[in-house]
Amino acid sequence: MQINKLFAKPEAALTVLSNYLAQQNRIIESQLIEINQSEKTAIQEALAKNSDIVSNYNPEKIDEIKRKIDEINQTQEDSSENQQQNILKLSPLYAELMRLEGDYDNDIQAQYINIYNEQRSYLQGEFSSIQNNSNLVLVYSQLEISLKEICGELKKELNLPIYVGELKGDDMQSVSKYLTKFCGVSGNLFSSSDWKFLDTMRKVRNSIVHNANDISFLLREDVKLVETQNYLLEMNNIDGVTIRESKIFITSSTLVEQTIEKIKSFYFSLRMELAKHRRNK
């Protein structure tokens, strides 16, 4: 099989994934605009409603409420029971007076701002993190699938004695062993910065998939402390990854996009290695 054809499907998958991520980002942006517009509309409608309530009352009504308030305030009662009763009488009168005089405007705005701030906070925080986590899993799964398919095609082309799945280790370890041992790929490729980055993303992916973002398992007694420290240090040094309360969160879609770019770069290097091996045969 020609090298270009060997990488056609994996590269097409990356293009689809890139477009998918861009579309998701546009959806998030449009949702944020929608939340802001809904907030503005809700405040305007609430203020208009409050204005209508005020306009339906005449000044005589306001004066009447003020007189009632004055009468209660002028009542001198020493007992705490009577004072409590006066407070209960005054509260609804003051509330009605504030509404009639339009003093509720700021309260109304603050109420709706709080409601929509919660929506904005969830959209830009927890929801985006869940989405980014899912997207990283999707992208990395596609990488594993593509590399195993490439190994499968090379197995047929080179008439190799075993399949990649017969090698011990996880999928990525098996792939690296297969390509270096049977396909003529230099081991330097798997010590490159691209591969090291992708291997770090593998650790993040595994924490997401197998431990629901939880990395507290690294603190078990059977895990060496130095291994834990190195892992946490490695995670903390990645832009777009946050460790909070023993959980990993991907806080930026940029990290997923960067992973796609690293995969593209790795594919290019792998393509060059395979082409070199063919020339040397």
Side-chain angles (χ1 to χ4, degrees):
M1 180 182 289
Q2 294 181 348
I3 295 291
N4 287 341
K5 188 174 181 181
L6 187 64
F7 285 87
K9 182 179 176 182
E11 290 174 348
L14 291 181
T15 299
V16 171
L17 287 169
S18 294
N19 293 337
Y20 173 73
L21 293 179
Q23 185 177 17
Q24 282 194 330
N25 288 335
R26 288 193 294 270
I27 291 173
I28 292 291
E29 291 171 2
S30 67
Q31 283 185 310
L32 189 58
I33 293 172
E34 185 177 334
I35 288 173
N36 293 338
Q37 185 58 50
S38 297
E39 175 187 53
K40 182 179 179 181
T41 301
I43 290 175
Q44 289 175 341
E45 291 177 351
L47 291 177
K49 183 178 179 181
N50 189 54
S51 177
D52 291 340
I53 292 173
V54 173
S55 65
N56 290 332
Y57 286 87
N58 53 41
E60 288 76 13
K61 180 65 175 177
I62 294 176
D63 290 339
E64 179 185 345
I65 293 174
K66 288 181 177 179
R67 282 195 298 272
K68 290 181 179 179
I69 291 173
D70 289 339
E71 289 174 1
I72 295 172
N73 284 331
Q74 289 170 6
T75 302
Q76 300 295 327
E77 298 288 353
D78 294 332
S79 70
S80 59
E81 182 179 347
N82 288 328
Q83 289 177 359
Q84 183 66 32
Q85 289 178 353
N86 284 348
I87 291 173
L88 293 174
K89 293 177 183 177
L90 286 169
S91 294
L93 291 173
Y94 277 125
E96 182 70 2
L97 182 62
M98 288 174 64
R99 183 171 63 177
L100 292 176
E101 292 184 332
D103 291 340
Y104 267 6
D105 286 4
N106 290 334
D107 288 343
I108 288 172
Q109 292 186 63
Q111 174 187 351
Y112 282 99
I113 287 173
N114 288 336
I115 291 173
Y116 287 96
N117 273 346
E118 286 294 330
Q119 294 184 26
R120 275 187 289 266
S121 177
Y122 175 74
L123 177 65
Q124 297 176 303
E126 184 177 349
F127 178 83
S128 292
S129 180
I130 293 172
Q131 179 174 272
N132 293 331
N133 287 354
S134 300
N135 286 338
L136 179 67
V137 172
L138 177 62
V139 168
Y140 206 89
S141 295
Q142 184 57 54
L143 170 63
E144 290 179 330
I145 291 170
S146 294
L147 287 177
K148 286 189 290 185
E149 287 180 347
I150 288 173
C151 289
E153 291 297 330
L154 291 173
K155 196 269 181 196
K156 291 187 290 185
E157 177 184 334
L158 302 175
N159 195 28
L160 298 175
I162 64 172
Y163 292 94
V164 64
E166 296 178 66
L167 297 179
K168 293 182 179 180
D170 64 28
D171 287 342
M172 300 306 276
Q173 290 174 336
S174 298
V175 164
S176 63
K177 290 177 184 177
Y178 196 81
L179 290 174
T180 53
K181 186 174 182 179
F182 297 102
C183 304
V185 174
S186 170
N188 292 333
L189 181 61
F190 297 98
S191 59
S192 65
S193 59
D194 289 338
W195 185 258
K196 288 179 179 178
F197 178 90
L198 294 175
D199 190 56
T200 301
M201 290 304 101
R202 177 183 62 84
K203 296 174 184 176
V204 177
R205 190 282 306 267
N206 288 346
S207 294
I208 293 170
V209 173
H210 302 302
N211 299 288
N213 300 23
D214 194 343
I215 58 171
S216 59
F217 69 97
L218 291 169
L219 304 177
R220 294 193 313 244
E221 292 182 0
D222 59 323
V223 178
K224 294 180 181 179
L225 181 60
V226 65
E227 180 182 343
T228 301
Q229 291 174 337
N230 289 339
Y231 182 82
L232 295 179
L233 181 62
E234 192 173 14
M235 295 301 102
N236 276 322
N237 286 334
I238 301 174
D239 291 335
V241 174
T242 298
I243 296 178
R244 187 169 61 249
E245 297 179 353
S246 298
K247 284 183 175 290
I248 285 183
F249 300 93
I250 301 177
T251 56
S252 172
S253 61
T254 303
L255 181 68
V256 185
E257 295 160 5
Q258 185 181 0
T259 301
I260 290 178
E261 293 305 312
K262 289 291 186 180
I263 294 173
K264 289 179 180 178
S265 178
F266 177 78
Y267 282 167
F268 177 80
S269 298
L270 177 58
R271 181 199 296 259
M272 294 300 100
E273 282 289 324
L274 292 174
K276 179 181 177 181
H277 178 66
R278 289 187 178 190
R279 289 195 302 268
N280 294 336
K281 285 182 63 178

